[in-house]
Amino acid sequence: MNNFQYDYAVIGGDLRQVYLAEELSRHQNRIIYHALTRTPEKCSDSAILIKASCLKDAVRSAHSIICPIPLSKDGTQLNQNCAEAKLLLNSLFNMLKSGQTLYAGCIPDTFLNTAKEKGILVHDLMKNNALAIYNTIATAEGAICEAIQKSPQNLHCSHCAVLGYGRCGRTLTNYLKGMFCHVYVCSNQNDECSIAQTIAERTGSLCDFAECAGEFDFIFNTIPAKVLTPEILKKTKLSVTIIDIASAPGGVDYEEARRLNRNAFLCLGLPGKYSPYSCAKAIMKIIEQNQNEIS
């Protein structure tokens, strides 16, 4: 570790990365950063928080590299919004050296495996169970914020459908029930429906949902597959608000939704949009735990 000038290089992403750089510097870490959405603020004059002139300077001067969640949105470019030039995953990979540690989220298997073969310690943050569960809180709160902003109706006492009952679906259902919504949970997994019956008024399969889609004021989709087909969209209320939080390209036929004049929105990156500071602290906790285990 003493061979590197900085403890961490924080690269790309959204405001989570900005707050993460700030928080790490407060813990007496030496930080270099690149392609952040804004300049991190120093907690003190003695804090070491340096902007890199390029990606190469950031990567090659730090023991640990912290990249975004997700690492990439298209499998080719690093997830970032501010650099003048595109940052390619292949370029990042070629800059990494044996003995370095890489942190990121939703890392493609090919990148992860080849990096490990190169002698790089790779940690996919979204495979950490504690962080993945915490991430559902930020996602659920963000989805509810989006629903409130994009609909003229109250969520209170509204009829809501939650499609999918994985981690995000479960947390979202709990939040909606806490807001006195009437919640229907849709899943093709019998065990998920059985668990959902402990809190939701009703549960059903995707086929069942197709028959009752017209009952709902809000539809929240968490399933990363085209589940809101033209046939189902035609049955929904004209006033429905659809919040799609499944990974891109989402689970809605958006072309048909526009043709039918349905309010459907693909809402990605909700943790970074609505709770970047809290998420950054959660990420830092996981990274520090890992560093302690290594040392």
Side-chain angles (χ1 to χ4, degrees), residues 70-103:
L71 174 64
S72 174
K73 293 181 179 179
D74 61 6
T76 301
Q77 299 176 32
L78 185 75
N79 172 18
Q80 57 87 27
N81 300 311
C82 73
E84 293 182 2
K86 296 177 181 178
L87 304 179
L88 300 178
L89 290 186
N90 284 342
S91 297
L92 171 66
F93 176 81
N94 291 332
M95 294 170 188
L96 291 167
K97 296 182 288 187
S98 177
Q100 286 183 303
T101 301
L102 174 72
Y103 296 95

Side-chain angles (χ1 to χ4, degrees), residues 8-14 17 21 32-36 52 54-56 58-60 64-69 71 78-80 87 92 96 102-103:
Y8 296 97
V10 183
I11 300 168
D14 51 37
Q17 294 287 93
I32 187 169
Y33 63 89
H34 180 65
L36 300 188
C54 63
L55 179 63
K56 181 178 178 180
V59 173
R60 294 198 170 180
S64 297
I65 316 302
I66 306 176
C67 289
I69 301 175
L71 174 64
L78 185 75
N79 172 18
Q80 57 87 27
L87 304 179
L92 171 66
L96 291 167
L102 174 72
Y103 296 95

Side-chain angles (χ1 to χ4, degrees), residues 46-180:
S46 61
I48 299 176
L49 195 57
I50 304 298
K51 182 178 181 179
S53 59
C54 63
L55 179 63
K56 181 178 178 180
D57 285 350
V59 173
R60 294 198 170 180
S61 60
H63 176 266
S64 297
I65 316 302
I66 306 176
C67 289
I69 301 175
L71 174 64
S72 174
K73 293 181 179 179
D74 61 6
T76 301
Q77 299 176 32
L78 185 75
N79 172 18
Q80 57 87 27
N81 300 311
C82 73
E84 293 182 2
K86 296 177 181 178
L87 304 179
L88 300 178
L89 290 186
N90 284 342
S91 297
L92 171 66
F93 176 81
N94 291 332
M95 294 170 188
L96 291 167
K97 296 182 288 187
S98 177
Q100 286 183 303
T101 301
L102 174 72
Y103 296 95
C106 308
I107 303 173
D109 288 339
T110 52
F111 186 100
L112 187 148
N113 293 331
T114 51
K116 286 182 177 179
E117 291 173 1
K118 191 177 179 180
I120 300 157
L121 298 175
V122 184
H123 298 275
D124 192 324
L125 294 167
M126 291 312 295
K127 291 183 179 179
N128 180 283
N129 192 51
L131 185 60
I133 292 173
Y134 182 86
N135 199 60
T136 68
I137 297 172
T139 301
E141 290 185 3
I144 289 170
C145 286
E146 292 285 339
I148 291 171
Q149 290 177 12
K150 290 174 167 51
S151 174
Q153 304 180 72
N154 283 336
L155 272 169
H156 179 83
C157 289
S158 65
H159 290 268
C160 301
V162 176
L163 310 187
Y165 203 65
R167 285 171 170 163
C168 283
R170 294 180 189 187
T171 302
L172 180 57
T173 297
N174 287 329
Y175 268 86
L176 292 171
K177 287 298 298 179
M179 299 180 73
F180 305 100

Side-chain angles (χ1 to χ4, degrees), residues 163-209:
L163 310 187
Y165 203 65
R167 285 171 170 163
C168 283
R170 294 180 189 187
T171 302
L172 180 57
T173 297
N174 287 329
Y175 268 86
L176 292 171
K177 287 298 298 179
M179 299 180 73
F180 305 100
C181 300
H182 304 288
V183 183
Y184 173 95
V185 170
C186 173
S187 174
N188 280 343
Q189 303 296 321
N190 290 333
D191 57 339
E192 290 184 351
C193 284
S194 297
I195 296 170
Q197 285 173 2
T198 63
I199 186 168
E201 277 86 354
R202 292 186 296 153
T203 64
S205 66
L206 286 170
C207 289
D208 297 328
F209 173 71

Side-chain angles (χ1 to χ4, degrees), residues 222-241:
T222 72
I223 302 173
K226 195 66 67 69
V227 291
L228 284 165
T229 61
E231 293 74 23
I232 292 178
L233 288 168
K234 289 174 185 175
K235 297 179 181 180
T236 61
K237 292 181 177 180
L238 182 60
S239 60
V240 71
T241 298

